[in-house]
Amino acid sequence: GAGVSQTPSNKVTEKGKYVELRCDPISGHTALYWYRQSLGQGPEFLIYFQGTGAADDSGLPNDRFFAVRPEGSVSTLKIQRTERGDSAVYLCASSLLAGGLNEQFFGPGTRLTVL
Amino acid sequence: AQSVSQHNHHVILSEAASLELGCNYSYGGTVNLFWYVQYPGQHLQLLLKYFSGDPLVKGIKGFEAEFIKSKFSFNLRKPSVQWSDTAEYFCAVNGRSSNTGKLIFGQGTTLQVKP
């Protein structure tokens, strides 16, 4: 079946602009995660959704970052007033259920470049 | 603080050589441990995982890892690497009792296998 998909695959924007990154999880997966991977680093947790609600947003770096999942499926990560330091690969993952024992399946990522 | 440390950032081996990648973690409480792999141009995928029981776990493509609780380690091994094992490898941890399952990753090890 289809895996996790993310669009766009690449996004180039200018400092100060607003961007939206989209994630389509595997059908039926209730848990959805966003991670950010900077060059030379491992992925860092940003936010987790269980259904429609953001159950843990402790990884969001500041209030310029926001994410939604209005119908419990597709999620959008929104970044306001982008800064050069936001340049990274943004990864989305989904799992059938929440919790530590459930395998997370990762999408291909969106590479964001802020000029 | 919760963290994962991978000792080797870049490893170069010849085909048929043996591989061991180090991983140490710091985490309060009982953990689940994972190794993810990212082949060139592909997304992160699960290589193997440890939840409980036998501390020696076997994964796909001949990889195995050993959980040593006293050393807070989960090293990845393969007796004989192939050129197709060239990839980036990430060790990750989450809490056994975690409601979210959010993963904490190490910084990754790039493995280059020379034919």
Side-chain angles (χ1 to χ4, degrees):
Chain A
V4 178
S5 62
Q6 293 186 245
T7 54
S9 55
N10 281 284
K11 177 70 177 178
V12 180
T13 191
E14 294 179 343
K15 180 173 177 288
K17 299 290 188 183
Y18 168 83
V19 296
E20 289 189 352
L21 311 178
R22 176 187 168 108
C23 171
D24 278 89
I26 294 172
S27 178
H29 280 196
T30 62
L32 186 146
Y33 304 81
W34 284 98
Y35 294 85
R36 177 169 73 172
Q37 186 175 13
S38 301
L39 193 63
Q41 301 296 317
E44 291 180 294
F45 170 78
L46 295 177
I47 187 169
Y48 151 70
F49 287 88
Q50 177 57 42
T52 60
D56 183 350
D57 63 358
S58 60
L60 293 178
N62 52 59
D63 61 6
R64 295 187 297 104
F65 289 74
F66 189 71
V68 295
R69 195 186 185 199
E71 298 178 356
S73 179
V74 171
S75 177
T76 305
L77 179 65
K78 308 180 181 193
I79 310 174
Q80 299 177 322
R81 304 183 305 280
T82 51
E83 300 178 356
R84 292 195 180 89
D86 299 335
S87 296
V89 176
Y90 289 81
L91 297 170
C92 177
S94 70
S95 62
L96 185 60
L97 299 171
L101 299 178
N102 292 280
E103 180 180 349
Q104 294 179 32
F105 295 84
F106 283 81
T110 294
R111 182 176 298 278
L112 175 66
T113 303
V114 181
L115 301 177
Chain B
Q2 300 169 346
S3 65
V4 174
S5 177
Q6 292 182 238
H7 316 301
N8 319 96
H9 296 290
H10 197 164
V11 173
I12 302 174
L13 295 173
S14 298
E15 275 193 314
S18 64
L19 170 72
E20 180 160 3
L21 301 182
C23 172
N24 285 89
Y25 67 92
S26 173
Y27 198 100
T30 307
V31 297
N32 302 312
L33 293 154
F34 307 82
W35 276 96
Y36 279 84
V37 61
Q38 188 167 24
Y39 297 104
Q42 297 187 26
H43 55 268
L44 272 171
Q45 55 187 283
L46 185 66
L47 197 55
L48 50 77
K49 61 191 177 189
Y50 171 79
F51 290 159
S52 63
D54 188 345
L56 185 62
V57 293
K58 295 189 185 299
I60 59 172
K61 302 186 180 185
F63 285 91
E64 64 180 30
E66 184 176 13
F67 171 50
I68 303 179
K69 188 176 180 179
S70 61
K71 295 185 178 180
F72 302 95
S73 71
F74 190 56
N75 292 355
L76 181 71
R77 299 195 293 251
K78 185 171 184 179
S80 176
V81 295
Q82 301 173 315
W83 177 78
S84 58
D85 294 325
T86 294
E88 191 154 18
Y89 293 81
F90 294 94
C91 181
V93 64
N94 66 17
R96 182 75 51 80
S97 60
S98 166
N99 292 327
T100 71
K102 66 182 181 184
L103 293 165
I104 298 168
F105 286 87
Q107 66 267 49
T109 298
T110 301
L111 172 64
Q112 182 181 355
V113 180
K114 294 183 174 180

